[in-house]
Amino acid sequence: MYVFDINIIAVLLAALSSFLLGGIWYSPLLFQRTWLEGAGLTELDLKAANHKVIFLGSFLLSIVASVAVATLVGKGSSVIDTMSFGLFIGILFVASSFGVSYLFEQRPLKLFLVNAGYHTLQFTLIGFVIGSLN
């Protein structure tokens, strides 16, 4: 199903994959401890958070990111092209922007690597899904 020349199914699957990646990335399986320490959070902070707002907001923002990638790459792009595009977004826009903020905020390098790494992989994954279903 296409709306405005965007494959809606691809966008929703890309958003879902991005959302699931975040769940794994920031879990105890991978980088939860490093992320908590770098962000100055505790397990109690996680328990006290409004999970409905956080998860719904994260999924909606993943949809926005997926729509943006799908719009910018258009139809007919190869998987390699869309993945490369996602990788470039992650490194050249997100990570570099985080880098400037983290330097001024004097945040830990480990936190930068966890967050920038997630978003770089996130956009690469979105590119993969969009390209695969394009």
Side-chain angles (χ1 to χ4, degrees):
M1 175 164 101
Y2 285 84
V3 175
F4 302 113
D5 236 13
I6 297 172
N7 183 338
I8 298 303
I9 301 301
V11 165
L12 291 175
L13 288 174
L16 181 61
S17 68
S18 167
F19 183 76
L20 293 174
L21 173 65
I24 295 167
W25 192 266
Y26 290 100
S27 77
L29 294 172
L30 291 179
F31 302 110
Q32 183 180 51
R33 177 86 37 227
T34 303
W35 172 68
L36 286 173
E37 289 171 8
L41 298 170
T42 66
E43 301 270 343
L44 292 175
D45 293 324
L46 291 184
K47 290 178 184 174
N50 186 339
H51 293 26
K52 289 179 185 177
V53 170
I54 291 169
F55 292 133
L56 179 62
S58 295
F59 185 67
L60 291 174
L61 291 168
S62 294
I63 291 173
V64 170
S66 298
V67 165
V69 170
T71 301
L72 293 170
V73 299
K75 286 197 317 192
S77 299
S78 73
V79 175
I80 295 297
D81 287 343
T82 56
M83 285 180 69
S84 298
F85 184 74
L87 178 68
F88 293 147
I89 289 172
I91 294 170
L92 301 176
F93 292 105
V94 179
S96 64
S97 296
F98 274 7
V100 171
S101 296
Y102 280 42
L103 286 169
F104 277 98
E105 294 170 2
Q106 300 176 38
R107 292 179 149 222
L109 177 61
K110 284 184 183 180
L111 181 62
F112 168 79
L113 293 173
V114 169
N115 289 332
Y118 163 69
H119 288 292
T120 298
L121 190 55
Q122 171 200 22
F123 277 100
T124 305
L125 180 60
I126 288 171
F128 171 75
V129 174
I130 297 294
S132 296
L133 300 174
N134 214 350

